[in-house]
Amino acid sequence: MKKLTKKYSVQLAGLLLLLTLLPVSCIKDDYAPKGTATVTMTFTTRAISNPTASAGGLEANEHMRTLRVIVARTSGEILYNLRYDIDENETSKTITFSEMTVEKTGEAFDFYAIANEDGIGYSGIWNNVTINDLKGMSLNDELLTNANDASTNTRIPQTAYRQIKVTPLAGGGIQTETMTLDFVVAKVRLTINNTSSGDQSVNDITLSGLNMTSTPLFANGTLSDEKGGTLNLDDMSIAAGGSATVYAYFFENQNSEGYTLTASWKKEQTLLLQTGSDDNKQPITEIPRGKMLDINVTLNADVDINPTIQVQVNEWIGKTINVPPFE
């Protein structure tokens, strides 16, 4: 009987030892030291730098009027899914995320921001959206159709994504971060200045070599090579000594063959958009989202027998590039 008791005592001791080891190897991550952190994030809309005097700043449909913010752990667990209405003249929104439970050494979180979600579509899913949903969303030509039709009043969406390490700060300090949203589309803005003494008409205006098909909701670091799209711009009538502007939207892409502007003014004329000086011209080969082809055309005074059209292409950030005139 004593031998039997001793045998079971040894087995019980071994079992207890095994049980004491299991939590260390299996669930130590669940019981890792935790802390709390507070993050203040400022979300800012993309604005035009140094806009031309004639066109001003953002168009009304480019203003940020709603903002959705989603914060998730890298595992995909969503901690915050918030939506705000934004005032007409408000260009940023500051949100404080309080008492976030994080590892004491810091932890990475994914921050997603979407402005003007109604313009994107996917109606009815935003309150229950998952991170996999967000990563898989793309925009199609319906957005461009609506955005390029002023009667639809479609607001242009903007998005941003950042992965940020959140760390508890001594004394309950607040971590401060910023995110800038980019338009999900690119834009062309064509301004024609008429320096002649008579009214001028420019018709059949098109921009070719574009992506008019689809684009990811969030920028993924690569540009589509879809280049078969053509964008039709409105006909323009420009009074003597005056100017007029038209604009439209398309999706980002790269195009090694370059982009061409075609218009009928006295005759059909086609221009390959190029950068650089006259002796070192290079075609524009990519247009990322959030950038703008800002094309300024000057119709010369009617003292010229063969007037020329000078074009400048401005990136959204305000850099000016000269390209040659129509021949």
Side-chain angles (χ1 to χ4, degrees), residues 212-246:
M212 301 293 291
T213 304
S214 66
T215 198
L217 176 60
F218 291 91
N220 58 16
T222 62
L223 296 178
S224 168
D225 57 5
E226 169 59 46
K227 58 186 179 182
T230 297
L231 179 61
N232 297 315
L233 300 175
D234 293 338
D235 292 343
M236 303 177 70
S237 179
I238 309 95
S243 65
T245 299
V246 295

Side-chain angles (χ1 to χ4, degrees), residues 165-194:
K165 185 177 182 180
V166 177
T167 305
L169 300 180
I174 298 176
Q175 183 173 336
T176 303
E177 302 285 350
T178 60
M179 288 178 66
T180 301
L181 283 72
D182 269 319
F183 293 107
V184 299
V185 295
K187 177 180 178 180
V188 56
R189 182 172 64 186
L190 172 63
T191 300
I192 298 181
N193 306 286
N194 180 13

Side-chain angles (χ1 to χ4, degrees), residues 45-46 58 62 156-159 181-185 289-290 316:
T45 186
R46 176 68 68 184
L58 297 175
E62 297 169 358
I156 305 302
Q158 301 177 47
T159 62
L181 283 72
D182 269 319
F183 293 107
V184 299
V185 295
R289 66 179 62 198
W316 205 303

Side-chain angles (χ1 to χ4, degrees), residues 17-159:
L17 178 61
L18 179 61
L19 290 175
T20 59
L21 293 174
L22 280 175
V24 176
S25 59
C26 297
I27 58 175
K28 65 179 181 179
D29 289 340
D30 294 336
Y31 291 92
K34 299 289 184 180
T36 58
T38 298
V39 178
T40 294
M41 178 73 75
T42 298
F43 300 89
T44 304
T45 186
R46 176 68 68 184
I48 297 173
S49 175
N50 300 323
T52 60
S54 60
L58 297 175
E59 309 295 342
N61 65 324
E62 297 169 358
H63 294 185
M64 178 171 64
R65 298 307 309 277
T66 67
L67 176 66
R68 182 173 296 276
V69 176
I70 295 172
V71 183
R73 297 187 188 275
T74 55
S75 63
E77 176 192 0
I78 293 178
L79 304 180
Y80 296 93
N81 184 348
L82 309 170
R83 183 185 185 277
Y84 299 89
D85 290 324
I86 307 298
D87 292 337
E88 174 68 28
N89 295 317
E90 192 175 2
T91 58
S92 67
K93 179 70 175 178
T94 300
I95 304 171
T96 298
F97 304 94
S98 301
E99 300 296 318
M100 298 176 67
T101 302
V102 301
E103 297 176 6
K104 284 193 174 181
T105 57
E107 186 175 344
F109 290 84
D110 292 326
F111 286 74
Y112 298 85
I114 304 169
N116 301 336
E117 65 186 41
D118 290 345
I120 295 173
Y122 296 98
S123 60
I125 76 161
W126 294 107
N127 289 330
N128 300 305
V129 73
T130 68
I131 297 303
N132 284 336
D133 291 335
L134 287 176
K135 292 179 178 179
M137 286 183 182
S138 61
L139 311 173
N140 58 32
D141 58 355
E142 182 179 359
L143 170 62
L144 294 181
T145 298
N146 293 334
N148 289 325
D149 182 354
S151 67
T152 66
N153 297 316
T154 298
R155 296 192 181 106
I156 305 302
Q158 301 177 47
T159 62

